[in-house]
Each structure stands twice: as C-alpha cells, then as structure tokens.
Amino acid sequence: MSVINNMLKNIEQREAKQVSTQEGISLKPIYDVKNIAFKAVILLIMLSVIFLAYLYLPTADKKETQRESVLPQQKMVAVLSSNLSDYQDEKSNVEPLVEQDVVKTVVQVEQIKPEVNDLAESKLSEATLLVSQPTAEPVVIAEVKQSPALAKDNVLVTSEAIVSKPKITPMIKTKSQNTMTKSVAEAKSPEALLIEQLAAAKQAIQFGLYNEAISDLNIILAQSPLHVEARNLLAATYFKQQDINSAQQVLQSGIRQNPNVLEWRVMLSKILIMQQQYEGVLLLLSDEFETQANLDFWVLQGTAAQSASKHHKALESFKHLTQLQPSQAKWWLALATSKDALGEYLDAKQLYKVALDLGGLNTAMTQHALQRLVALKEAV
C-alpha cells in the first residue's frame, strides 16, 4: 500500500509541477495554414467569376444591340446603292422632255426608339449629322411596282443609316410611272418574240448572214405558218443563195395554206417566168386577183400571156400598164407586138411609132420596132 501511495504522490507532484510550468510559459497559437489557403483560393475564384460575369454580360448585350442595329443598316445601304445606280442609269437615258412629267412623292423615315446604351447614342449622333449635312443632288429612291402587302412594310430612306428622330417627310422628285426605276421585266408575248426574231433575221440578211436569217425565219414560220413577211423573206433569201427549188417550195407551201395571199403568188410567178412555165403563171395570176393587182401583177401576167401566145390576155395586161406608166415606151412596144400578132396592123403601126417617139428603148427593142414598121408599111 505504501508503495502505491508513494507512486500516487509522485504522480500528483509531477502534475503539479507541469501545471505550474505551463502557467508561467506563454505558448504561441498554432493555425491551420492549408485550411486558410483553401478558403482564400475559393474566395478569389468566386470574386473572379463575379467580376467576369459583370464584364461579360454588358459586352454581350452591347454586341447583340450593335449587331441588331448594323444588320438593318447594311441591308438598307445595299438597297440604297442598287436603287441609286438604277436611278442614275435611267436618268442618263431619259430625254429632257420626259422631265416635265416629274411628280413628287413623300418618303417617310421610320421612327425607331433609341437604345439605352452608349453605342445607340453614338449611332444616333452620326445619323443625325448625316441627315443635317446638305447634299449636291437629292437621292431619289422609289419603287414603281409593289404588291399591296409589300408597299405597307417597305420604307425607303435617303441616308445610309436609319435615323431615330421624329418623322421627317422630305419632298423629293421622282419620274412618272412609265420612266421610273427599272422593274421586273414582264414575260414577253409570242407576238413580241416573233417581232424580235423577224428583226434579227432582217439584220442578218443585211450583213449577208443568210444561214442565220434562214434559221430565224424557219423558227417564225414553225410558230406562225401564215406570217406573210417572214415567208417572203425566206423565199427571197433562198433565191439570193441560188437555191431556187427551196424558194419555190416555201412559196408553194404558203399558197396551199392560204391561197389568198397575192404576194406569194407574185413571187412564185417570177420564179416560174425564169423557168418558162408561162401556163403556171397564168394559173397563179388568174382574173379573181385582178382587184388586188399591182404593177408586178400586170407585168408578169402580160409577159406570160404574150409568151404563151395568148395575146388577147396580154393586151389587157399591157393596157393597164400603159395607164399606170404612160411614159414607159416598153409597155407601148409590148402592146404593139400583141396587136401585130393578132393581125391588127394599123393599130400596131401606130403603137410602134408611139414607142419610138417616147424613146428609152434598148437597141434590140428599137430595131424590132423599126423592122416591124417597115414590114407593116409594105403589108398595109
């Protein structure tokens, strides 16, 4: 027991010494450095996120606002430039007299609410400055033809930027509806296309491009077989190329489709005269067409009748010719020849003298008239 008591006493004495020792010594507190550093890093990250969010969000709003304001301006500038170029092209081509028909239209500037930011205010000041500056020539922008739906929404402006000011209604001059800016070309009618092709064919013939002219004329006749002028030109073009058969076929095809076209009959008669087919000419130039007869009609009919020894018919034709052109000696000579062939020598003798007195006959005709006068004097 004593041993145990001694041990307990020793222990109590030691604890008492330690307590007294601890009470006299000041110890520094120990801090958890890692924990403090971790908290500091987290705090810095949070502050960085807040700061970046504060900087980024207004910038995005500004970019979006700027994008929304720039896009309509770019579109409007494109419209202005295209319309202005069209207007200037058209203005240079219009005659001075057309300017008397100029009318005034009012162009309203679209009112836009100002954006509450620095960028919108800067754009507003720039646009206001552009509008306030005088220009050498007024920019005229107008559309001639617009659908009712588009006309309500389409607002035309006269500056490069959209101005956010109260409504402005400047008076600008525009041309009349017939001479304003170019509109969408309307689809051409078949008649208009035929006219263009016919003009192209005539121009090709003028420059000697016969193959191109023939191609154009065949296209016209494929669409309009009864086109008189196109068929005449096609036959004449074949004739110039010495393609007589093709010219004849073109005219015969036309006559089969419309027998009442005298022009085709006259042209075909000229070809038949060259081929000495006089009976065919008389069939083509029959009496029913005499009401439409012209100079060529009587010449071809008289020549064919006289060559076919049908002098009574020839006399009728040449009498018409002496009435149409009384100063032409050749018609009087032809009339005298038919009278001579019919045995009417007195009339023939008188007509030969008239032809010689008028003059203008070639050597062969003059010799023929003189020879017949000598022969008729002996006969009569």
Side-chain angles (χ1 to χ4, degrees):
M1 292 293 292
S2 61
V3 175
I4 294 173
N5 290 332
N6 288 329
M7 291 177 63
L8 291 174
K9 286 179 181 181
N10 290 332
I11 291 171
E12 288 176 356
Q13 289 175 359
R14 290 177 183 175
E15 289 178 355
K17 289 180 180 181
Q18 289 179 358
V19 170
S20 61
T21 304
Q22 290 177 357
E23 290 177 355
I25 298 173
S26 60
L27 299 176
K28 295 182 179 180
I30 299 173
Y31 297 97
D32 192 353
V33 178
K34 294 183 178 180
N35 188 17
I36 295 173
F38 178 75
K39 292 181 179 180
V41 170
I42 292 177
L43 181 60
L44 288 175
I45 293 173
M46 292 176 64
L47 292 174
S48 300
V49 170
I50 294 172
F51 181 73
L52 292 176
Y54 174 78
L55 292 177
Y56 177 79
L57 291 178
T59 304
D61 293 339
K62 289 181 181 180
K63 290 183 179 179
E64 188 66 21
T65 304
Q66 184 177 4
R67 184 181 303 173
E68 292 177 357
S69 61
V70 168
L71 288 177
Q73 293 175 11
Q74 293 177 350
K75 293 181 180 178
M76 192 57 62
V77 169
V79 173
L80 289 174
S81 60
S82 62
N83 288 336
L84 179 57
S85 62
D86 292 343
Y87 167 76
Q88 291 177 348
D89 293 340
E90 191 167 340
K91 179 179 177 182
S92 62
N93 296 329
V94 176
E95 297 181 354
L97 293 178
V98 179
E99 295 179 356
Q100 298 177 359
D101 296 331
V102 173
V103 295
K104 295 182 179 180
T105 60
V106 178
V107 179
Q108 295 185 347
V109 178
E110 181 180 4
Q111 181 179 6
I112 299 177
K113 294 181 180 180
E115 297 288 341
V116 187
N117 51 56
D118 297 335
L119 180 62
E121 292 178 358
S122 63
K123 294 295 180 180
L124 174 59
S125 60
E126 293 177 2
T128 305
L129 181 61
L130 288 174
V131 172
S132 61
Q133 290 178 351
T135 56
E137 292 183 2
V139 180
V140 181
I141 302 173
E143 289 292 333
V144 179
K145 295 180 180 180
Q146 294 181 348
S147 62
L150 294 177
K152 295 180 180 179
D153 298 331
N154 189 13
V155 178
L156 302 178
V157 294
T158 58
S159 63
E160 294 181 357
I162 298 176
V163 183
S164 58
K165 291 178 69 68
K167 292 185 178 179
I168 302 173
T169 57
M171 300 298 292
I172 58 176
K173 295 181 179 180
T174 59
K175 301 178 183 179
S176 61
Q177 186 173 2
N178 292 332
T179 58
M180 292 175 68
T181 54
K182 299 177 182 178
S183 59
V184 179
E186 296 180 356
K188 295 182 179 179
S189 62
E191 292 77 9
L193 293 176
L194 288 179
I195 292 174
E196 289 184 359
Q197 287 180 334
L198 184 61
K202 289 180 179 179
Q203 188 174 8
I205 292 173
Q206 184 179 0
F207 289 99
L209 304 175
Y210 298 125
N211 291 331
E212 293 183 7
I214 289 172
S215 177
D216 291 336
L217 293 171
N218 279 322
I219 292 174
I220 295 174
L221 291 179
Q223 299 175 1
S224 179
L226 300 181
H227 199 293
V228 177
E229 187 177 5
R231 194 172 291 276
N232 290 345
L233 285 174
L234 183 58
T237 305
Y238 278 130
F239 191 84
K240 288 181 180 180
Q241 288 190 314
Q242 303 298 322
D243 192 352
I244 307 301
N245 292 331
S246 296
Q248 185 173 350
Q249 290 175 4
V250 168
L251 293 170
Q252 289 174 346
S253 176
I255 293 172
R256 284 194 297 268
Q257 296 180 65
N258 187 1
N260 297 323
V261 180
L262 183 60
E263 294 181 42
W264 296 342
R265 290 176 175 269
V266 170
M267 291 188 69
L268 183 56
S269 297
K270 292 179 181 180
I271 295 175
L272 295 180
I273 287 287
M274 294 175 57
Q275 298 173 348
Q276 298 183 356
Q277 298 181 19
Y278 305 118
E279 294 293 340
V281 175
L282 294 176
L283 290 175
L284 287 172
L285 306 179
S286 57
D287 296 341
E288 59 181 313
F289 293 99
E290 289 184 357
T291 56
Q292 309 175 40
N294 54 13
L295 183 66
D296 289 339
F297 179 91
W298 296 118
V299 171
L300 293 169
Q301 188 188 66
T303 302
Q306 194 173 71
S307 301
S309 299
K310 295 184 178 181
H311 294 287
H312 291 287
K313 188 67 176 177
L315 287 175
E316 295 179 5
S317 301
F318 291 125
K319 284 180 181 180
H320 285 288
L321 289 171
T322 55
Q323 293 172 0
L324 292 173
Q325 294 180 337
S327 61
Q328 292 291 327
K330 57 185 177 180
W331 307 138
W332 294 99
L333 179 62
L335 188 60
T337 302
S338 291
K339 287 283 188 179
D340 193 359
L342 291 174
E344 300 178 10
Y345 300 121
L346 291 176
D347 293 339
K349 182 179 178 181
Q350 187 64 31
L351 292 171
Y352 281 129
K353 290 181 179 181
V354 173
L356 291 172
D357 291 340
L358 289 174
L361 299 173
N362 58 32
T363 303
M365 290 181 177
T366 302
Q367 290 179 355
H368 171 72
L370 292 174
Q371 290 175 359
R372 291 308 302 163
L373 277 177
V374 172
L376 290 176
K377 286 181 180 178
E378 294 177 356
V380 177

